[in-house]
Amino acid sequence: KLGLAEYSTQGSALEKALELAQAISRSAPLSLRMAKEAINQGANVDLASGMRLEEAYYAQLLHTKDRLEGLAAFAEKREPKYTGE
């Protein structure tokens, strides 16, 4: 739940949307690309097929440097430095 509808009634939906976009943009670029693909492809298929698509896209990220950096940053309680690799 993003809560954008609640913000639209208060007149600050644009600010909330920009805040969410900024938070998302700090994510690993490869993860964002795969998430967009999974969403775009998954919107046109049944749930089971969508889950298989998501699994296939995630599998492509398992051995990336960005995934390892994200895990390391989490363990070290620091902000990750993603490189798109």
Side-chain angles (χ1 to χ4, degrees), residues 8-75:
S8 67
T9 60
Q10 301 169 3
S12 60
L14 177 61
E15 290 88 14
K16 182 61 176 179
L18 291 172
E19 179 185 314
L20 288 169
Q22 186 176 29
I24 291 169
S25 72
R26 290 191 295 267
S27 299
L30 295 175
S31 297
L32 289 175
R33 185 178 307 139
M34 293 296 118
K36 285 174 64 176
E37 286 295 324
I39 291 166
N40 290 336
Q41 298 297 320
N44 301 315
V45 298
D46 61 274
L47 180 61
S49 298
M51 296 299 287
R52 284 192 298 276
L53 280 169
E54 182 180 352
E55 184 179 356
Y57 284 119
Y58 178 71
Q60 295 178 48
L61 299 170
L62 286 177
H63 302 290
T64 63
K65 291 180 182 178
D66 278 354
R67 180 176 173 275
L68 297 176
E69 167 60 16
L71 292 171
F74 179 80

